Amino acid sequence: MAGLGPTGGRAARTYAGRGPLLILPAWVIIGIFLVLPILIMATYSFLTKEFRGGVIWEPTLAAYDQFFFDRGLFGDEQPKIEWTYILIFWRSIWQAGLATLLCLLIGFPTAWFIATRPAHSRTVWLFLITVPYWVNLLIRTISMKFLIRDNGPMNQWLLNAGLIDEPIHIINTNLAVQLGLFYSYLPFMVLPIYAAVERYNFALSEAAADLYASRWVTLTQVIIPVVKPGIIAGCILVFVPSLGAFLAPDLLGGAKNFMIGSLIEEQFKGAAGNWPFGAAAAMILLSMVLIVLIVYARNQDRESA
Amino acid sequence: MAEDQGDIAVDIDHVTKRYGDFTALADVSLAIRSNEFFTLLGPSGCGKTTLLRCIAGFEDITLGAIRLYGDNIVDLPPNKRPVNTVFQQYALFPHMDVTRNVMFGLLRLGQSEAAARKRAGEVLDLVQLTQFADRLPAQLSGGQQQRVALARALAPNPKVLLLDEPLSALDLKLRQAVRLELQQIQQETGITFIFVTHDQEEALTMSDRIAVISDGRLQQIGTARDIYEEPDNKFVADFIGETNLIDVTVAGIDNGQATCTLPGGNHFTCPAAQGAHSGRGHLSVRPERVSLSDPAQGLLTGTVSRLIYLGTDMHVDITLTDGEVVTARVQNSAGTRIPAMGETIGLNFEAGAARLLID
Amino acid sequence: MAEDQGDIAVDIDHVTKRYGDFTALADVSLAIRSNEFFTLLGPSGCGKTTLLRCIAGFEDITLGAIRLYGDNIVDLPPNKRPVNTVFQQYALFPHMDVTRNVMFGLLRLGQSEAAARKRAGEVLDLVQLTQFADRLPAQLSGGQQQRVALARALAPNPKVLLLDEPLSALDLKLRQAVRLELQQIQQETGITFIFVTHDQEEALTMSDRIAVISDGRLQQIGTARDIYEEPDNKFVADFIGETNLIDVTVAGIDNGQATCTLPGGNHFTCPAAQGAHSGRGHLSVRPERVSLSDPAQGLLTGTVSRLIYLGTDMHVDITLTDGEVVTARVQNSAGTRIPAMGETIGLNFEAGAARLLID
Amino acid sequence: EGKLSIYHWFEYIPQELLDKFAAEYDVEVTLDTYDSNEALLAALKAGKLGQYDVAVPGDYMVEILGNEGMLDTFTDDEMPNKGNILPQWADVSFDPGRKSSIPYQWGSTSFSVNRDVYSGNIQTTDIIFNPPEELKGKINVLDTAGETLTFASLHLGIPQCSTDREQLKALNDLVQNAKANWASFGSDVAKDVLVSGDAAAGMIWNGFGMKAREEGANIEYAYPDQGYIVWMDNVVLLKDAPNRDNALKFMNFLLEPENAAAVTNYARYTAGVAGVEPFLDEALKTAPELNPPAGGNPQFVQACPEEVQKVYDTIWTNLKK
Amino acid sequence: MARKPDLRRFPGFLAVTLLCLFLLYAPLVIVAIYSFNDSPSITLWGGVSLRWYEDVFWGLEADKFKRAAINSLTIAAAAATTATVIATMAATAMLRAGQFRGRSFSFGLISLPLMVPEIVTAVATLIFFSAIGFQTGILSILIAHIVFCIPFAYLPIAARMEGIEDVYEQAAQDLYATKWQAFRLILLPLMTPGIVSGFLLAFIISLDDFIITNFVKGAGVETLPTAIFGAVKQGIKPNIMAISTLLLMVSITFVTLSYFAGRMGQNRKSNPTGET
Ligand SMILES: Nc1ncnc2c1ncn2[C@@H]1O[C@H](COP(=O)(O)OP(=O)(O)OP(=O)(O)O)[C@@H](O)[C@H]1O
Ligand SMILES: Nc1ncnc2c1ncn2[C@@H]1O[C@H](COP(=O)(O)OP(=O)(O)OP(=O)(O)O)[C@@H](O)[C@H]1O
Ligand SMILES: NCCCCN
Ligand SMILES: [Mg+2]
Ligand SMILES: [Mg+2]
């Protein structure tokens, strides 16, 4: 995606000198109102939990201990590896990964199709893809819930049309969560791929055809490798927010299985009220995301070198 | 076509190509012989690339037929045509190294990995790129990339190789070196080359035959010498090299020889292009075939109005009495007398130098 | 500098420019005279644009000084330098029409709207674009855009005009037309032009003086004739036009004249470039100054190994007995005898044609 | 004059009543909502104390908020209508002497079952924790640890806040195993899932269940033999209330029988104020949701001490992993 | 004659695109249809009526939604404007000020809000505000929104600026323009399409945000999403369907307008390099 990587090559220097100062407002705002909060959050994760919410300023690793070690229901058994949260993380990663894959499977052909329209109709197609996105996420998710429920319009119509005898049960399943995530983040997949494909040099497809490659060989051997940066950017933009999502699991998945987002939320809003633990979970999630991003950025640097 | 079919590699038969209302190729007929180095030459936008793309199969044609060794190929998709292309911007696969790029077509034709690798090695040898085999295209200079594109297109041993301005991105010295290489490769492999350029000198130095195209229409086909020395019309004469076009009145044409009246009133007889006619017309004379003399001995007379130094040569502009300017190119060597600015001087045309054109 | 300071428009004084470790300009010293049409010539990447950008003020120099009519300007920002640039890609403001583009600099200098408009009209007249005054740049052809860029740079009457390969985007015929225009404007306005190109012919035809640059180093400064006929070193001889570089053994140099032994054993005396020395050396002879003769009368002898038709001329490659190839360029006119392939033939150099180079 | 900032359960107070108060006292009223007692506590902890004037915690949460020092007190003079409080709610263990709170509404927590789907006996907690075939996979439970785990304790017949390890393990196993039969967790959606048919049985508050029935679902509210939960929601005066005077006016306003009745008519629970009867809807008098059979086993949720609460938290998180 | 062998076409891609659009629109279209349902039940069809639209504009909660809408629009406008200004400045530094120390770091910083999961941002910001004793209210929402709007504004602006060669500013400076004049007279007009789409993206992201807003909003302060959430979590009601349909229509109008604005900009911007 344009601007997603530090711009390659020679930086224009029109405003060299005092120009870099223009970055300061962004630094200040993001530094104070995002980096500082995250640092405080990091600090909280090392503090002692106060009963019923809040922290006591006594340093401890209890939150991380709770995350990684299972000491039984009563906290007095020999520590074993705690699978509960790893499982929740694993499920989130798996769900987010699956949603990413679903977005990719539908998003790539869509992006490709749009990017290969004549220039004037491309905007219209893009516009068609993005308009639902301008409508509130909550409403979108709830609309989806409304549509797919057992007695919802989809099943009613299918039943009336005689296409099915039993309602298709989707609501409160993982598939519903998938649909919700897909629905929430699809444009994040389509746009970067679109940007990459739009810059794709179709002469490469011609060269491949000229060298006896069929359409599908061209797709897998030439097109996909060449537009890979756009695909990766799209995957990251779908994967990262999906990891932290909680509307879709809550509304469409029946809140049965925690994903990371709901686990963290529960620590700050729910009965458990364990702030240090919520902070620790958030920090672990954040580190995972940052690691993925750093690896990605490294890769890109290497590729552009 | 009147020519011997067995000898014809590519037969472009009354091909017309339209984009909507716009006619990019208008009823073009061309027969390219086997083993020939054939060049399409014409100004930007004249339809050269379009014709090449029709042969390669990237564009469908509106009317006509394209035959490859006698078989009509217009319905074959590009990947079924035994024709390879060296693209104008190379179109190297950026994610594959040089060897992989060259192997691509071979693998598609079903060769084994090992066989393809071996053949790629051979072709890279031919274009002297063996030591760059492991590099990615982005790590090569423009000239090297051009040679990879060539190797990639040569590797499957196509019957016909299409080259679309493959030298335009190179600088003068590099261009000259690659030109020689191309000619050698063509002679060694015996593949038919169809070469596109808008550079007249390039066309003249490299080709067995040249087709000059303008506005989607074929203007003339012939050897470099034919086209340079016996241009059929004003466009060809003017486009290929420099020429003086002198307004004349044609009294008549007899047996291919025209009798004309020059500015200043002298009479003159010269060959006429097929289709030239009496009345007002243009005589084409190349600057290097204009010789300078005493005013008294000149077919035309005028005064020297400009002198341009060109290294190997001098350009001398002579303004005739009626205001027309004629340029003479005088070789810049010891024996030559260089006239002075403002000097009155006579002009003569060498034997066979002047030609009456179709307007 | 040894030259008269009053006459010097731009004085590049021991300028070095580094990008990190990379030296783009190495200790370049140049004095460009007032009213001169001065050309920077060199292969791609040699530092021409860098030098121009240093003069315009877009790059800081690492060492040295740049003086404009005697004043050191290295600390002035670009908008304070009375120097205007015609950019390689024109850089016309796409959101302004032609007139607004031309008025831009005038308004920044504080002229009134009316005065600026009047002046823009005049300059557009000069470049014959009056009828396009209201168009946006995108609605113009390449050649017209180039002239707008020129008009825009000329309008504020700069002391020095910098032109960065302004013709490279044009096709051959158009390029020739614009060249003439540029020369006329320079003569009419009396502005000092610094012109960048990598096209040798362009440099030779247009310039009062030429600086040849390679790898960030100045190779030679001089008029077109100096550089073409008296190249100082192998690079210049080879880069400017074509040349034969013949291996010789130099017995000694006396008063600028070198005595050499040619391949085949003949002795020969010719001028030597300053700095040339005894021992092994290279003789440079332009192909057009090699004349053909009977084998017996030749300074060198060999067999004709290739004939290339160039339109105006023929290139004849002669392979000497020791395997070296010498090229002769023979004008393609009636009187010339064209040798046949394989013929044994003698070669002579015209008087003053050969020159011993610094290696 | 001035403002009033209310922090309230969702869908629990009619807009008309707020408008009435606003008009009567010329106060600008704003309302934010939460969906569990714990969410209220967490929000106040996280920095929202000092922003709201009144909140509506349930019984045990009043005690917790009091212990946390989050409540302000008022005198009897400041609450002229205090006498309207029904005697049984006038002096309660979670706020002895009603120094910080007044009764809002009380009701029960149990479950409703769709009679189209299941026609068997529903007066048992087995419906939720050991459901019949027809209901498996069609059950919604409240997404609040307090009420759901208390309900499970009732099913097992163990005391609340039990410290007995075996009992706690049994509780853990019970909910773990039952979860396979549950379709979803949700409090605010509890009514919707029953009306829409997403769930055929669901834990629900009595008034909310009545609303669901009135919206067309063929459901019946159960009073299981093992017991059910009762609760009393209370309007409390929060500490650092920015508009203390208006808060007191509002609380007093809610003690007017007519106004308390308006809430009851809207939310379908029961008021703690005397003299509301003339103002009540007919339907309420006979509604099974509001007229529990005599001799049941109603229980209040207890606030557990820290060590026990920790175990409950673990059980809850385990349940949702 | 043979059909043009279009190498860009892949069989099935059109079908996937249509499926994609179907998935995107089906729920919204159905909601739009049901918003005209006369019956208060969401499951039964009771004939066509506009009663829920009436309810939205004149119903009991109309006031609350009106206030929420005004808050949302004010916050979105202010946050998007501020973020756009900050992002434009940042893009200028990143893309026009050469290499400077901390440039890569700055890029990381700017994309951070995009990369941190929303829930983490929400919680961290809330803790931060309560730790420094910052009174939450409209201002706290605004600040949080500015933070996460920055990358959304930055991306299109930077992409656009990257596409504008710096020769135009150099040409301006060569013609005696100061840096500020070169920015104002040349770069800014050329960047307009990027700035407009950056602003729109930020505006709409702000308008759409629920999670962060819900955490950092002050008592009684509602934005459209939080108001809708409060009303909608218990089940979608016909009046909410009406609101969402209105929102959809406003969005379509908005995007359509910006599309035409963009097209006009494109026509004016023409072709910066003069290539065809
Ligand atoms: N897809 C198209 N639609 C409409 N017109 C086209 C299309 N492709 C090419 N043309 C037009 O057809 C004409 C011939 O184009 P072509 O690319 O063959 O020119 P060319 O001779 O290769 O020129 P150049 O030397 O600039 O490459 C041009 O005028 C061009 O504008
Ligand atoms: N910002 C930079 N950082 C590092 N190297 C640079 C930079 N700008 C230019 N160079 C290098 O400096 C050398 C000179 O570049 P310059 O642009 O002056 O070449 P040029 O002579 O104008 O070539 P061309 O004919 O291709 O325009 C080149 O090798 C180039 O790679
Ligand atoms: N609808 C609100 C229910 C409150 C239960 N305590
Ligand atoms: Mg072409
Ligand atoms: Mg350059």
Side-chain angles (χ1 to χ4, degrees), chain A residues 4 15 128 134 183 215, chain E residues 8-9 24-25 96 107 255:
Chain A
L4 244 194
Y15 303 107
L128 276 176
W134 306 141
Y183 198 26
R215 252 173 234 283
Chain E
R8 299 162 187 233
R9 261 193 61 244
L24 286 179
Y25 279 90
R96 286 295 198 263
F107 178 74
V255 179

Side-chain angles (χ1 to χ4, degrees), chain A residues 114 121-131 190-191 194:
Chain A
I114 294 174
S121 58
R122 268 181 231 162
T123 336
V124 179
W125 281 97
L126 272 185
F127 158 64
L128 276 176
I129 294 288
T130 40
V131 153
V190 173
L191 292 176
Y194 164 80

Side-chain angles (χ1 to χ4, degrees), chain B residues 101-211:
Chain B
N101 262 283
V102 178
M103 287 166 67
F104 188 91
L106 302 170
L107 293 176
R108 299 290 89 63
L109 287 174
Q111 290 199 10
S112 72
E113 177 86 15
R117 190 170 290 279
K118 183 155 163 291
R119 169 76 182 145
E122 286 166 22
V123 189
L124 286 176
D125 230 30
L126 186 71
V127 297
Q128 299 167 28
L129 279 178
T130 312
Q131 69 199 101
F132 299 102
D134 299 331
R135 295 230 193 144
L136 288 176
Q139 299 167 321
L140 298 175
S141 80
Q144 291 160 341
Q145 290 187 28
Q146 195 274 332
R147 283 183 278 161
V148 178
L150 183 63
R152 188 177 67 174
L154 280 171
N157 239 318
K159 292 191 179 160
V160 175
L161 189 66
L162 309 175
L163 303 103
D164 194 357
E165 311 208 12
L167 310 184
S168 60
L170 311 184
D171 86 35
L172 189 70
K173 289 277 154 179
L174 192 53
R175 189 147 75 232
Q176 288 170 340
V178 178
R179 266 183 211 161
L180 285 180
E181 252 176 64
L182 271 185
Q183 279 180 302
Q184 261 160 23
I185 289 170
Q186 196 257 347
Q187 276 153 22
E188 283 169 28
T189 58
I191 293 173
T192 306
F193 276 33
I194 307 181
F195 184 91
V196 162
T197 183
H198 64 229
D199 180 325
Q200 295 86 340
E201 192 184 335
E202 206 158 276
L204 294 175
T205 36
M206 304 187 71
S207 327
D208 291 328
R209 285 193 307 152
I210 298 168

Side-chain angles (χ1 to χ4, degrees), chain E residues 28-49:
Chain E
L28 294 177
V29 168
I30 282 168
V31 161
I33 292 173
Y34 274 78
S35 71
F36 295 102
N37 188 357
D38 194 34
S39 141
S41 153
I42 47 171
T43 33
L44 298 174
W45 183 258
V48 178
S49 98

